[in-house]
């Protein structure tokens, strides 16, 4: 498996239309894989970044629309301004690590910094910018594999990763993550799909009604690095324990909202079951179309981001501009900066152990 920067790509062949492939200068191939279930829901995923490029599903009247933000061709993913990470797998560590540094057993490791002084989503060339090996496991199941070598972006250890996407006839997109290492290393993988349940490019998402199964958040400083505290959401704009419109409290004067330019925070999930079991993390309802999405995960946290940094510079697959807050992300994860926060659940993977976790996005309408 070769690493592939976006520099030097040729062809920019359309990925969505025609399902073509494009070769890099080092002869890696970028391909698109289409999953479709018996009710017509269609999910498209490319091995460039193991990226979900499209999720087409029905509204309450049976009308189909693409609800995932993205591009029509691979050049969009490689050359995008604002680095939105549309649909991609991010890692080796999703979210931020303070000042790009952490220590394991007395040894300090220095990572690439790509978010001011901090490390974000795996660094300059994270997993979203590499070509993964792909294997069609079944009609509606595809597995992507990548070997992140010792020293990539500053991380210790050779990390072997597999991410498997499965689209079920129950309208669930299941993502299974598996990783092993030959040295102790932090691992925190997640998918960074932006959703708009009205359809990609159909305005903002402030009217979507969100429920988060979480009574607390991990508040951040001005650099969006956790302070180490666990803060109750009750009585704050961050209380989504009962479903409410995303835009209801987003304009409230609140320091945390000011830091994130809106919601861009980690919620501490209420775990109703035992470790290793899927629990409900979030629901989202879009009233005008009736589309309804549920998120289940084994992870302890979820990053809710409502597209605050979308600037209107990007055009999507239908040629419409992605406005500010034109999409939201629900990234299941361990907490940000966990390698530097001893009170947070550990993200250190040891040789002989397996990083194994599952997240499910379920789509319906009502």
């Amino acid at each position: 498996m070769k690493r592939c920067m976006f520099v030097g790509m040729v062809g920019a062949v359309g990925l969505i239309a025609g399902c073509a492939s494009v070769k890099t200068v080092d002869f890696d191939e970028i391909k698109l894989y289409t999953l479709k279930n018996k009710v017509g829901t269609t999910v498209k995923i490319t091995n460039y970044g193991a990226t979900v490029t499209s999720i087409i599903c029905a509204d309450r009247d049976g009308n189909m629309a693409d609800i995932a933000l993205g591009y029509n061709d691979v050049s969009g993913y490689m050359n995008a301004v604002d680095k939105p990470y549309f649909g991609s797998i991010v890692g080796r560590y999703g979210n931020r690590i303070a000042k790009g540094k952490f220590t394991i057993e007395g040894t300090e490791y220095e990572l690439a910094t790509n978010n001011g002084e901090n490390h974000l989503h795996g660094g300059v060339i994270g997993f979203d910018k590499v070509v993964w090996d792909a294997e069609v496991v079944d009609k509606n199941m595809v597995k992507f594999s990548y070997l992140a070598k010792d020293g990539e972006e500053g991380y210790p250890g050779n990390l072997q990763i597999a991410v498997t996407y499965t689209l079920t006839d129950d309208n669930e997109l299941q993502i299974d993550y598996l990783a092993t290492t030959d040295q102790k290393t932090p691992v925190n993988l997640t998918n960074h799909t932006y959703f708009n349940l009205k359809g990609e490019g159909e305005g903002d998402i402030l009217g979507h009604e969100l429920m988060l199964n979480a009574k607390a958040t991990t508040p951040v400083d001005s650099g969006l690095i956790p302070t180490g505290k666990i803060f109750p959401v009750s009585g704050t704009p961050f209380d989504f324990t009962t479903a409410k419109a995303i835009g209801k409290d987003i304009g409230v004067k609140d320091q945390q909202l000011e830091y994130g330019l809106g919601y861009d925070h980690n919620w501490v999930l209420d775990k109703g079951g035992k470790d290793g079991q899927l629990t409900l993390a979030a629901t989202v309802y879009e009233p005008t179309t009736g589309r309804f999405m549920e998120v289940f995960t084994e992870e302890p946290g979820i990053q809710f981001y409502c597209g605050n940094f979308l600037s209107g510079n990007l055009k999507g697959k239908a040629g419409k501009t992605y406005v500010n807050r034109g999409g939201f992300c629900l990234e299941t994860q361990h907490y940000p900066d966990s390698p530097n926060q001893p009170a947070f659940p550990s993200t250190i993977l040891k040789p002989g152990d397996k990083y194994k976790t599952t997240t499910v996005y379920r789509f319906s309408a009502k």
Side-chain angles (χ1 to χ4, degrees), residues 39-41 56-65 67 171 289-292 363-365:
V39 297
T41 297
I56 299 171
C57 62
D59 67 7
R60 66 163 67 94
D61 297 318
N63 300 312
M64 307 298 284
I67 62 169
N171 245 18
T289 64
R291 288 192 180 90
F292 185 64
F363 306 100
S364 60

Side-chain angles (χ1 to χ4, degrees), residues 125-197:
I125 309 175
F127 294 168
D128 61 300
K129 299 179 184 70
V130 300
V131 179
W132 296 57
D133 284 346
E135 175 190 357
V136 177
V137 180
D138 203 349
K139 181 180 68 171
N140 280 329
M141 181 186 298
V142 60
K143 181 171 75 172
F144 298 94
S145 302
Y146 180 67
L147 174 62
K149 295 183 179 179
D150 182 25
E152 282 191 15
E153 301 298 297
Y155 287 100
N158 293 295
L159 186 73
Q160 181 67 60
I161 314 125
V163 177
T164 302
Y165 291 94
T166 305
L167 179 63
T168 74
D169 285 333
D170 294 324
N171 245 18
E172 295 178 340
L173 177 61
Q174 178 171 317
I175 310 175
D176 295 300
Y177 302 86
L178 178 65
T180 57
T181 184
D182 59 2
Q183 295 182 50
K184 290 184 178 181
T185 189
V187 183
N188 185 33
L189 305 178
T190 191
N191 178 273
H192 208 288
T193 294
Y194 289 64
F195 299 93
N196 186 329
L197 300 186

Side-chain angles (χ1 to χ4, degrees), residues 34-363:
T34 298
L35 312 179
K36 187 173 183 178
N37 66 14
K38 67 180 183 181
V39 297
T41 297
T42 302
V43 177
K44 297 181 180 181
I45 312 159
T46 174
N47 61 330
Y48 182 76
T51 298
V52 174
T53 66
S54 176
I55 301 172
I56 299 171
C57 62
D59 67 7
R60 66 163 67 94
D61 297 318
N63 300 312
M64 307 298 284
D66 191 345
I67 62 169
L69 277 60
Y71 305 102
N72 279 321
D73 58 65
V74 70
S75 64
Y77 294 94
M78 293 184 291
N79 302 316
V81 296
D82 300 336
K83 302 178 178 64
Y85 301 94
F86 286 150
S88 60
I89 296 296
V90 292
R92 181 174 307 196
Y93 197 95
N95 220 306
R96 292 170 175 85
I97 294 179
K99 298 182 179 179
K101 296 180 180 179
F102 61 88
T103 300
I104 298 178
E105 295 180 342
T107 299
E108 183 179 84
Y109 296 91
E110 188 168 346
L111 306 176
T113 51
N114 60 320
N115 185 240
E117 66 178 2
N118 301 316
H119 177 87
L120 175 66
H121 291 332
V124 177
I125 309 175
F127 294 168
D128 61 300
K129 299 179 184 70
V130 300
V131 179
W132 296 57
D133 284 346
E135 175 190 357
V136 177
V137 180
D138 203 349
K139 181 180 68 171
N140 280 329
M141 181 186 298
V142 60
K143 181 171 75 172
F144 298 94
S145 302
Y146 180 67
L147 174 62
K149 295 183 179 179
D150 182 25
E152 282 191 15
E153 301 298 297
Y155 287 100
N158 293 295
L159 186 73
Q160 181 67 60
I161 314 125
V163 177
T164 302
Y165 291 94
T166 305
L167 179 63
T168 74
D169 285 333
D170 294 324
N171 245 18
E172 295 178 340
L173 177 61
Q174 178 171 317
I175 310 175
D176 295 300
Y177 302 86
L178 178 65
T180 57
T181 184
D182 59 2
Q183 295 182 50
K184 290 184 178 181
T185 189
V187 183
N188 185 33
L189 305 178
T190 191
N191 178 273
H192 208 288
T193 294
Y194 289 64
F195 299 93
N196 186 329
L197 300 186
K198 292 183 292 187
E200 57 95 21
E202 295 295 332
D204 67 46
I205 45 78
L206 297 179
H208 288 56
E209 297 171 7
L210 171 68
M211 186 283 296
L212 293 172
N213 188 14
K215 298 184 181 69
T217 62
T218 52
V220 295
D221 63 19
S222 60
L224 300 183
I225 298 296
T227 63
K229 297 179 181 179
I230 304 294
F231 193 78
V233 299
S234 180
T236 78
F238 291 80
D239 190 349
F240 286 90
T241 52
T242 300
K244 67 178 181 182
I246 291 172
K248 181 176 185 296
D249 296 322
I250 204 168
V252 171
K253 184 173 178 56
D254 179 272
Q255 187 178 66
Q256 288 295 302
L257 289 174
E258 291 173 6
Y259 285 161
L261 301 181
Y263 297 111
D264 188 10
H265 297 75
N266 173 70
W267 270 254
V268 177
L269 291 173
D270 296 341
K271 303 292 285 185
K274 299 178 181 178
D275 288 344
Q277 291 185 344
L278 288 170
T279 55
L280 179 67
T283 67
V284 189
Y285 175 63
E286 203 292 297
T288 66
T289 64
R291 288 192 180 90
F292 185 64
M293 184 175 80
E294 300 162 274
V295 184
F296 302 85
T297 189
E298 298 176 44
E299 291 295 286
I302 191 167
Q303 185 87 5
F304 166 48
Y305 169 57
C306 63
N308 308 311
F309 297 101
L310 293 175
S311 62
N313 291 332
L314 305 176
K315 286 189 177 180
K317 287 164 281 185
K320 297 178 180 179
T321 298
Y322 290 154
V323 300
N324 182 246
R325 296 173 179 156
F328 66 89
C329 302
L330 289 169
E331 306 156 63
T332 57
Q333 61 177 14
H334 271 59
Y335 310 159
D337 197 38
S338 289
N340 295 311
Q341 303 282 354
F344 288 177
S346 176
T347 57
I348 302 300
L349 180 65
K350 302 174 183 178
D353 292 343
K354 290 182 179 180
Y355 173 96
K356 189 176 182 181
T357 185
T358 296
T359 290
V360 172
Y361 297 89
R362 179 189 293 164
F363 306 100

